[in-house]
């Protein structure tokens, strides 16, 4: 029984490691600035299923209604987009820490189960 639990713990550990690595790589690429802000805005907007964020074209149109200067429109759109991107990045980082914490707790619980099952035999 303890052997099966140990094997299950190894598989859970691998799954946690793979998912955490995927999250870290994705967050690292997005936060590094490798992707331009327009692409990143659209990626975050599409990924945010419950969000009501406008597509970039609509954001440009809404800002252009109140501004005549093209440079000012670009500046305001970029400012709004970066604000949204930063809020989404903080959400991704918080999720990564929560996921890591849950993985550690799960591993500790599995180790305690294995240790207690070994002492019962």
């Amino acid at each position: 029984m303890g052997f099966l639990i140990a094997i299950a713990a190894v598989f859970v550990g691998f799954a946690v490691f793979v998912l955490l690595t995927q999250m870290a790589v994705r967050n690292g690429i997005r936060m590094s600035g490798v992707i331009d802000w327009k692409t990143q805005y659209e990626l975050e907007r599409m990924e945010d299923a419950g969000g009501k964020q406008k597509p970039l074209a609509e954001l440009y149109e809404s800002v252009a209604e109140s501004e005549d200067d093209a440079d000012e429109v670009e500046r305001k759109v970029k400012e709004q987009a970066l604000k949204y991107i930063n809020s989404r990045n903080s959400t991704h980082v918080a999720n990564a820490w929560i996921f890591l914490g849950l993985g550690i707790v799960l591993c500790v619980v599995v180790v305690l189960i294995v240790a207690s099952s070994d002492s019962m035999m």
Side-chain angles (χ1 to χ4, degrees):
M1 180 67 174
F3 181 70
L4 293 176
I5 293 175
I7 290 175
V10 168
F11 283 118
V12 168
F14 279 139
V16 167
F17 177 74
V18 167
L19 290 173
L20 189 61
T21 303
Q22 286 175 344
M23 288 172 66
V25 168
R26 190 199 66 187
N27 290 347
I29 289 171
R30 288 190 176 171
M31 290 180 191
S32 69
V34 172
I35 302 173
D36 70 321
W37 65 271
K38 292 177 182 179
T39 305
Q40 189 170 355
Y41 175 83
E42 287 297 331
L43 287 172
E44 293 293 346
R45 186 188 65 77
M46 288 185 289
E47 202 174 87
D48 188 11
K52 303 282 190 232
Q53 205 64 27
K54 298 177 184 178
L56 199 56
E58 286 181 26
L59 192 59
Y60 270 107
E61 288 173 9
S62 67
V63 172
E65 290 173 0
S66 62
E67 292 293 332
D68 293 330
D69 185 27
D71 290 336
E72 190 64 20
V73 169
E74 183 73 17
R75 187 188 67 74
K76 285 188 176 182
V77 167
K78 185 175 182 178
E79 180 181 306
Q80 290 178 14
L82 289 177
K83 182 178 176 184
Y84 177 69
I85 290 167
N86 288 335
S87 72
R88 292 283 297 157
N89 282 344
S90 7
T91 301
H92 294 311
V93 169
N95 289 344
W97 281 109
I98 290 169
F99 189 72
L100 178 63
L102 289 174
I104 290 171
V105 168
L106 182 64
C107 289
V108 167
V109 168
V110 169
V111 166
L112 290 175
I113 291 171
V114 170
S116 67
S117 70
D118 285 344
S119 65
M120 291 180 168
M121 291 184 170

